[in-house]
Amino acid sequence: MRFMLGTHMANWLWDDDPRLDGVTLFISRNRLARRVSPFPAARRDWALDSGGFTELKDHGGWRTTPEEYAAEVRRYSKQLGRLLWAAPQDWMCEPWVISGGTIGGQHFAGTGLSVAEHQRRTVENFLELQRIAPDLPWIPVLQGWDLADYERCARMYADAGIDLAAAPVVGLGSVCRRQATEEIARIVDYFASRGLRLHGFGVKTDGLADYGDQLVSADSMAWSVGGRRNPRLSECTHRAKNCANCATYALRWHQRIVNAPPRWRQADLFAA
């Protein structure tokens, strides 16, 4: 399983820091879209998140058209290079994204739509992006809330002629802010057993220990929250009071996750 280091520090793509070499980065479109000048060539592989959660949270819908988004991704792919894949403009299905309100101190505009409508729009966007820019590495994303929802989304792709089992990567959305990792594990197990090569968006580290061996890739930038809350590393010389933007902190966290054995392997060791 390829564990991607999520980061808001877009310059890490082209930074000459050798410690970043060999690390696959996961970058949000929100961190790239504001740049007017050409991008330097990327020095490491990366994947693109569409920034859909923030878009729906703040505005209750997408303000960027598929044509505009495809043009942006083409620019990133051409100038930066090394783009593994790009997420479509999917529609997350968390209840608070749909209903709106204030959750955990964050205000959600709310879409006022149904889960099924979010799924329909997710599938239609993937198809539209494929039509507009078939040369770009779009991935289909499964959206839903419970297992029955995700099954319905998979049927929508099948009805549109998309064989998810043939896709190099299939994103699994609306999982990163859940508390119950057991529920996600059931969803992952269901689709992985049917041959889907899943990417887990923002998967919790506890979840990785439980079902990471059933994913082809996952991403997280939980390190930044830890870097903000914890004392600054003693060896760091940056001016910031914490390590929320610190490559040293991020890479140390990343390596700890990558090197940690999954729980099923730990159980075998203990049994031995």
Side-chain angles (χ1 to χ4, degrees):
M1 193 270 291
R2 182 189 293 223
F3 184 55
M4 301 182 181
L5 177 63
T7 179
H8 53 289
M9 304 294 289
N11 63 295
W12 290 1
L13 284 171
W14 56 84
D15 196 297
D16 61 3
D17 186 340
R19 299 175 303 169
L20 289 164
D21 293 345
V23 176
T24 302
L25 300 178
F26 191 69
I27 308 287
S28 170
R29 170 248 179 188
N30 296 333
R31 309 306 301 185
L32 301 175
R34 299 187 188 96
R35 185 182 175 101
V36 176
S37 58
F39 289 96
R43 297 173 61 94
R44 44 206 57 95
D45 294 341
W46 65 291
L48 179 70
D49 180 63
S50 66
F53 183 83
T54 300
E55 189 75 2
L56 268 59
K57 178 180 80 70
D58 292 345
H59 307 287
W62 279 94
R63 300 168 299 161
T64 306
T65 68
E67 290 79 8
E68 290 169 338
Y69 182 58
E72 287 184 14
V73 177
R74 187 177 301 284
R75 177 187 174 221
Y76 308 149
S77 178
K78 182 178 180 180
Q79 294 181 5
L80 286 162
R82 303 189 66 159
L83 174 64
L84 298 177
W85 51 258
Q89 295 169 284
D90 52 337
W91 289 67
M92 295 76 224
C93 292
E94 289 92 339
W96 43 90
V97 172
I98 291 174
S99 300
T102 301
I103 306 294
Q106 296 187 78
H107 177 72
F108 291 80
T111 67
L113 304 172
S114 65
V115 170
E117 180 61 18
H118 277 222
Q119 293 171 320
R120 186 189 69 81
R121 294 187 181 200
T122 295
V123 175
E124 285 192 352
N125 180 261
F126 172 73
L127 296 172
E128 182 68 1
L129 290 172
Q130 278 200 321
R131 183 192 67 79
I132 295 168
D135 56 312
L136 293 177
W138 309 111
I139 67 164
V141 173
L142 286 167
Q143 284 291 353
W145 190 244
D146 56 32
L147 177 57
D149 292 332
Y150 288 96
E151 290 180 281
R152 179 175 59 222
C153 191
R155 288 195 298 272
M156 289 180 178
Y157 278 108
D159 291 344
I162 302 299
D163 182 4
L164 294 179
V169 182
V170 177
L172 186 63
S174 299
V175 297
C176 66
R177 291 165 179 83
R178 294 179 188 236
Q179 296 302 316
T181 58
E182 297 85 1
E183 184 177 17
I184 305 171
R186 287 193 296 271
I187 295 169
V188 169
D189 182 70
Y190 177 85
F191 287 106
S193 67
R194 284 155 178 78
L196 272 64
R197 290 172 283 274
L198 299 170
H199 174 86
F201 290 104
V203 172
K204 296 179 184 299
T205 53
D206 285 347
L208 287 176
D210 286 338
Y211 52 80
D213 60 311
Q214 294 180 287
L215 302 172
V216 296
S217 59
D219 69 85
S220 176
M221 62 175 297
W223 65 270
S224 187
V225 176
R228 182 177 297 107
R229 293 175 177 173
N230 296 327
R232 189 175 74 171
L233 296 177
S234 59
E235 65 267 35
C236 287
T237 58
H238 53 70
R239 295 181 179 179
K241 295 180 180 179
N242 58 51
C243 288
N245 305 321
C246 175
T248 300
Y249 192 100
L251 290 168
R252 183 173 298 181
W253 177 87
H254 180 264
Q255 284 303 310
R256 186 168 68 248
I257 301 300
V258 169
N259 295 331
R263 287 178 184 166
W264 62 267
R265 192 182 302 162
Q266 291 177 351
D268 289 345
L269 290 173
F270 290 141

